[in-house]
Short mmCIF file of all heavy atoms in Angstrom, two decimals:
data_model
loop_
_atom_site.label_atom_id
_atom_site.label_comp_id
_atom_site.label_asym_id
_atom_site.label_seq_id
_atom_site.Cartn_x
_atom_site.Cartn_y
_atom_site.Cartn_z
N MET A 719 32.02 16.52 -13.83
CA MET A 719 31.74 16.25 -12.44
C MET A 719 30.26 15.97 -12.22
O MET A 719 29.89 15.11 -11.44
CB MET A 719 32.21 17.44 -11.60
CG MET A 719 31.99 17.27 -10.13
SD MET A 719 32.99 15.94 -9.51
CE MET A 719 32.50 15.91 -7.83
N ILE A 725 25.11 9.80 -12.17
CA ILE A 725 25.22 8.34 -12.10
C ILE A 725 25.00 7.86 -10.67
O ILE A 725 24.29 6.88 -10.44
CB ILE A 725 26.58 7.88 -12.66
CG1 ILE A 725 26.64 8.10 -14.17
CG2 ILE A 725 26.84 6.41 -12.33
CD1 ILE A 725 28.00 7.88 -14.77
N SER A 732 17.91 3.44 -7.87
CA SER A 732 17.67 2.02 -8.13
C SER A 732 17.77 1.19 -6.86
O SER A 732 16.98 0.28 -6.64
CB SER A 732 18.63 1.52 -9.21
OG SER A 732 19.96 1.66 -8.78
N TYR A 736 14.68 -0.89 -5.16
CA TYR A 736 14.81 -2.30 -4.80
C TYR A 736 14.42 -2.52 -3.34
O TYR A 736 13.71 -3.48 -3.02
CB TYR A 736 16.25 -2.78 -5.04
CG TYR A 736 16.50 -4.17 -4.54
CD1 TYR A 736 16.03 -5.27 -5.25
CD2 TYR A 736 17.19 -4.40 -3.36
CE1 TYR A 736 16.24 -6.55 -4.80
CE2 TYR A 736 17.40 -5.68 -2.89
CZ TYR A 736 16.93 -6.76 -3.62
OH TYR A 736 17.14 -8.02 -3.16
N LEU A 743 9.65 -4.77 6.49
CA LEU A 743 9.20 -3.40 6.75
C LEU A 743 10.38 -2.46 6.98
O LEU A 743 10.35 -1.30 6.54
CB LEU A 743 8.26 -3.41 7.96
CG LEU A 743 7.34 -2.23 8.16
CD1 LEU A 743 6.49 -2.01 6.93
CD2 LEU A 743 6.46 -2.44 9.36
N LYS A 745 13.37 -2.74 5.63
CA LYS A 745 14.01 -2.48 4.34
C LYS A 745 13.22 -1.46 3.54
O LYS A 745 13.80 -0.66 2.80
CB LYS A 745 14.16 -3.77 3.55
CG LYS A 745 15.23 -4.68 4.12
CD LYS A 745 15.39 -5.91 3.27
CE LYS A 745 16.44 -6.82 3.88
NZ LYS A 745 16.60 -8.07 3.12
N VAL A 746 11.90 -1.46 3.69
CA VAL A 746 11.07 -0.46 3.02
C VAL A 746 11.39 0.93 3.57
O VAL A 746 11.51 1.90 2.81
CB VAL A 746 9.57 -0.80 3.18
CG1 VAL A 746 8.70 0.34 2.71
CG2 VAL A 746 9.24 -2.07 2.42
N MET A 751 14.50 6.12 2.89
CA MET A 751 15.61 7.01 3.27
C MET A 751 16.59 7.19 2.11
O MET A 751 17.06 8.31 1.85
CB MET A 751 16.33 6.45 4.49
CG MET A 751 15.52 6.52 5.76
SD MET A 751 16.23 5.64 7.16
CE MET A 751 17.90 6.19 7.16
N VAL A 752 16.91 6.11 1.41
CA VAL A 752 17.86 6.19 0.30
C VAL A 752 17.29 7.05 -0.83
O VAL A 752 18.01 7.87 -1.41
CB VAL A 752 18.23 4.77 -0.19
CG1 VAL A 752 19.00 4.83 -1.48
CG2 VAL A 752 19.04 4.04 0.87
N ILE A 753 16.01 6.89 -1.13
CA ILE A 753 15.40 7.70 -2.19
C ILE A 753 15.35 9.16 -1.78
O ILE A 753 15.56 10.05 -2.61
CB ILE A 753 14.00 7.15 -2.54
CG1 ILE A 753 14.16 5.86 -3.35
CG2 ILE A 753 13.18 8.16 -3.33
CD1 ILE A 753 12.88 5.22 -3.77
N SER A 754 15.10 9.44 -0.51
CA SER A 754 15.09 10.85 -0.09
C SER A 754 16.48 11.47 -0.21
O SER A 754 16.60 12.64 -0.61
CB SER A 754 14.56 10.97 1.34
OG SER A 754 15.46 10.43 2.27
N LEU A 760 19.77 15.25 -6.16
CA LEU A 760 19.24 15.71 -7.45
C LEU A 760 18.92 17.20 -7.40
O LEU A 760 19.23 17.93 -8.35
CB LEU A 760 17.98 14.91 -7.80
CG LEU A 760 17.33 15.24 -9.13
CD1 LEU A 760 18.25 14.87 -10.27
CD2 LEU A 760 16.01 14.53 -9.26
N THR A 763 22.23 19.11 -7.49
CA THR A 763 22.91 19.05 -8.78
C THR A 763 22.16 19.85 -9.84
O THR A 763 22.78 20.51 -10.67
CB THR A 763 23.04 17.59 -9.23
OG1 THR A 763 23.66 16.84 -8.18
CG2 THR A 763 23.88 17.47 -10.47
N MET A 764 20.84 19.80 -9.81
CA MET A 764 20.06 20.56 -10.79
C MET A 764 20.19 22.06 -10.58
O MET A 764 20.02 22.83 -11.53
CB MET A 764 18.59 20.14 -10.75
CG MET A 764 18.35 18.73 -11.22
SD MET A 764 18.98 18.38 -12.86
CE MET A 764 17.93 19.38 -13.85
N ALA A 765 20.50 22.48 -9.37
CA ALA A 765 20.71 23.91 -9.11
C ALA A 765 22.04 24.38 -9.66
O ALA A 765 22.26 25.57 -9.83
CB ALA A 765 20.63 24.19 -7.61
N LEU A 767 26.41 23.12 -9.77
CA LEU A 767 27.52 23.00 -8.83
C LEU A 767 28.47 24.17 -9.07
O LEU A 767 29.49 24.04 -9.72
CB LEU A 767 28.23 21.66 -9.03
CG LEU A 767 27.38 20.42 -8.78
CD1 LEU A 767 28.16 19.16 -9.11
CD2 LEU A 767 26.91 20.38 -7.35
N ASN A 768 28.10 25.31 -8.56
CA ASN A 768 28.90 26.52 -8.74
C ASN A 768 29.82 26.73 -7.55
O ASN A 768 29.47 26.42 -6.41
CB ASN A 768 28.00 27.74 -8.90
CG ASN A 768 27.09 27.63 -10.09
OD1 ASN A 768 27.44 26.97 -11.06
ND2 ASN A 768 25.95 28.28 -10.03
N GLY A 770 31.83 29.66 -5.46
CA GLY A 770 31.78 31.10 -5.25
C GLY A 770 31.70 31.39 -3.77
O GLY A 770 31.72 30.49 -2.93
N THR A 783 26.93 32.31 -4.68
CA THR A 783 26.11 31.15 -5.04
C THR A 783 24.67 31.38 -4.61
O THR A 783 24.38 32.21 -3.76
CB THR A 783 26.65 29.88 -4.37
OG1 THR A 783 26.64 30.06 -2.96
CG2 THR A 783 28.05 29.57 -4.83
N PRO A 787 18.55 26.60 -3.16
CA PRO A 787 18.57 25.13 -3.17
C PRO A 787 19.06 24.54 -1.85
O PRO A 787 18.54 23.51 -1.40
CB PRO A 787 19.52 24.77 -4.30
CG PRO A 787 19.56 25.96 -5.16
CD PRO A 787 19.34 27.13 -4.28
N THR A 793 15.45 22.00 4.52
CA THR A 793 14.06 21.77 4.93
C THR A 793 13.63 20.35 4.62
O THR A 793 12.96 19.70 5.44
CB THR A 793 13.15 22.78 4.21
OG1 THR A 793 13.61 24.10 4.46
CG2 THR A 793 11.72 22.65 4.68
N ILE A 797 12.29 17.46 7.30
CA ILE A 797 11.01 16.78 7.12
C ILE A 797 11.22 15.28 6.93
O ILE A 797 10.48 14.45 7.48
CB ILE A 797 10.26 17.39 5.92
CG1 ILE A 797 9.82 18.81 6.26
CG2 ILE A 797 9.05 16.54 5.53
CD1 ILE A 797 9.27 19.57 5.09
N GLY A 800 11.92 13.64 10.32
CA GLY A 800 10.69 13.47 11.11
C GLY A 800 9.84 12.34 10.59
O GLY A 800 9.31 11.54 11.37
N LEU A 801 9.72 12.24 9.27
CA LEU A 801 8.92 11.18 8.68
C LEU A 801 9.57 9.81 8.89
O LEU A 801 8.88 8.82 9.16
CB LEU A 801 8.70 11.45 7.20
CG LEU A 801 7.71 10.56 6.48
CD1 LEU A 801 6.34 10.67 7.11
CD2 LEU A 801 7.63 10.96 5.03
N LEU A 805 8.02 6.62 10.85
CA LEU A 805 7.90 5.30 10.22
C LEU A 805 8.58 4.22 11.05
O LEU A 805 8.09 3.08 11.13
CB LEU A 805 8.47 5.33 8.81
CG LEU A 805 7.65 6.07 7.76
CD1 LEU A 805 8.41 6.12 6.45
CD2 LEU A 805 6.31 5.42 7.58
N ASP A 819 7.63 -8.59 10.74
CA ASP A 819 7.76 -7.40 9.90
C ASP A 819 7.65 -7.77 8.42
O ASP A 819 7.93 -6.95 7.57
CB ASP A 819 9.06 -6.66 10.19
CG ASP A 819 10.29 -7.41 9.70
OD1 ASP A 819 10.21 -8.65 9.56
OD2 ASP A 819 11.32 -6.76 9.48
N LEU A 824 1.58 -9.58 7.01
CA LEU A 824 0.75 -8.50 7.54
C LEU A 824 -0.42 -8.18 6.63
O LEU A 824 -1.33 -7.45 7.04
CB LEU A 824 1.62 -7.23 7.70
CG LEU A 824 2.65 -7.27 8.81
CD1 LEU A 824 3.53 -6.03 8.75
CD2 LEU A 824 1.99 -7.37 10.17
#
Side-chain angles (χ1 to χ4, degrees):
M719 181 65 183
I725 291 171
S732 61
Y736 173 76
L743 200 56
K745 288 183 181 178
V746 170
M751 290 171 48
V752 170
I753 286 180
S754 69
L760 182 65
T763 307
M764 293 305 293
L767 299 175
N768 299 332
T783 58
T793 305
I797 291 171
L801 190 59
L805 288 175
D819 70 337
L824 290 173

